[in-house]
Amino acid sequence: DSGVTQTPKHLITATGQRVTLRCSPRSGDLSVYWYQQSLDQGLQFLIQYYNGEERAKGNILERFSAQQFPDLHSELNLSSLELGDSALYFCASSETSLYQPQHFGDGTRLSIL
Amino acid sequence: AQTVTQSQPEMSVQEAETVTLSCTYDTSESDYYLFWYKQPPSRQMILVIRQEAYKQQNATENRFSVNFQKAAKSFSLKISDSQLGDAAMYFCAYRGGGADGLTFGKGTHLIIQP
């Protein structure tokens, strides 16, 4: 158990819809990272938050957004969903934004019908 | 942009033998970190081993060790005494000193033959 909690584990929805994925980092971790794993693109870094502030952006689409709340949990919002957004979405956390390794949650499997 | 290449889509090894997974990367940074993650069929991402680029000594974690060749930009993972539980996808990952997210390779599927 990594200590990172992601909900829900599975999500099935339709094209054009909007969903919110939730992540609770390990106790004491200030940094949260979101990743997308798909067959086409592999594992891609989407975005990082550190103590409530956006720290780094990767290959995140404009239809996607995220935030980190004062209690350090984070949400990833995906809107105007397309079939190609079907993927496994991981959240990871680390103590700071420096060298400490990132610990991954179990992921949310998103299926777009 | 940094890139990570894993040239072996799939590897197979007999139980109790040793296997080496290859990884090369491309970067212009001098300060960075390298990682190997394991993803079993359960889909969890499990950290196996990590290496700081400024350290010349290769990292070791029990049966797992790395061969880090900074000049060649190579970071291979050696698994000794392979066990059935080692069967998984293995991902090599790079993280720059600017502390962005991880850049992953495409992965190597490791099969353990009993």
Side-chain angles (χ1 to χ4, degrees):
Chain A
D1 183 8
S2 67
V4 179
T5 303
Q6 289 188 247
T7 57
K9 290 191 184 302
H10 302 279
L11 200 49
I12 302 173
T13 188
T15 55
Q17 296 298 304
R18 173 189 171 94
V19 297
T20 297
L21 313 183
R22 182 187 170 98
C23 170
S24 293
R26 290 189 324 161
S27 177
D29 285 359
L30 299 179
S31 259
V32 169
Y33 307 79
W34 287 97
Y35 293 86
Q36 178 195 60
Q37 185 177 30
S38 65
L39 287 174
D40 291 344
Q41 302 294 328
L43 266 162
Q44 287 195 107
F45 165 64
L46 297 179
I47 197 164
Q48 177 202 358
Y49 277 80
Y50 175 73
N51 202 21
E53 299 290 327
E54 182 183 304
R55 179 60 63 95
K57 262 187 174 179
N59 298 322
I60 189 166
L61 300 173
E62 285 192 10
R63 300 183 286 107
F64 296 0
S65 65
Q67 54 184 326
Q68 186 179 26
F69 296 87
D71 67 352
L72 301 178
H73 90 272
S74 178
E75 293 181 355
L76 179 66
N77 301 295
L78 315 177
S79 61
S80 302
L81 287 167
E82 302 175 359
L83 293 177
D85 297 328
S86 294
L88 186 57
Y89 290 85
F90 283 108
C91 169
S93 72
S94 66
E95 290 180 27
T96 69
S97 63
L98 298 177
Y99 164 63
Q100 288 86 355
Q102 297 174 25
H103 300 271
F104 283 72
D106 290 344
T108 293
R109 168 71 70 185
L110 175 64
S111 299
I112 312 298
L113 303 180
Chain B
Q2 294 80 18
T3 58
V4 177
T5 302
Q6 294 179 250
S7 59
Q8 306 152 317
E10 186 172 280
M11 292 282 284
S12 182
V13 64
Q14 291 289 127
E15 195 175 0
E17 293 188 347
T18 296
V19 63
T20 298
L21 308 185
S22 300
C23 172
T24 59
Y25 57 94
D26 186 24
T27 184
S28 58
E29 296 177 308
S30 58
D31 179 27
Y32 53 87
Y33 312 96
L34 297 163
F35 306 85
W36 279 97
Y37 279 86
K38 168 185 176 181
Q39 187 177 41
S42 65
R43 307 298 281 179
Q44 293 174 303
M45 291 291 290
I46 302 165
L47 177 66
V48 175
I49 199 166
R50 58 182 169 173
Q51 174 81 42
E52 301 97 313
Y54 66 86
K55 286 188 178 179
Q56 292 188 345
Q57 185 173 5
N58 290 324
T60 299
E61 289 286 344
N62 301 312
R63 297 183 296 107
F64 298 87
S65 62
V66 298
N67 183 4
F68 174 49
Q69 302 289 329
K70 190 171 184 178
K73 295 181 181 175
S74 171
F75 182 61
S76 60
L77 174 69
K78 185 171 84 171
I79 306 174
S80 303
D81 186 24
S82 297
Q83 300 176 0
L84 294 177
D86 295 334
M89 283 292 290
Y90 285 81
F91 292 94
C92 178
Y94 170 101
R95 185 180 190 187
D100 290 342
L102 297 168
T103 299
F104 286 92
K106 295 289 188 186
T108 296
H109 181 210
L110 179 63
I111 299 167
I112 310 295
Q113 304 281 4

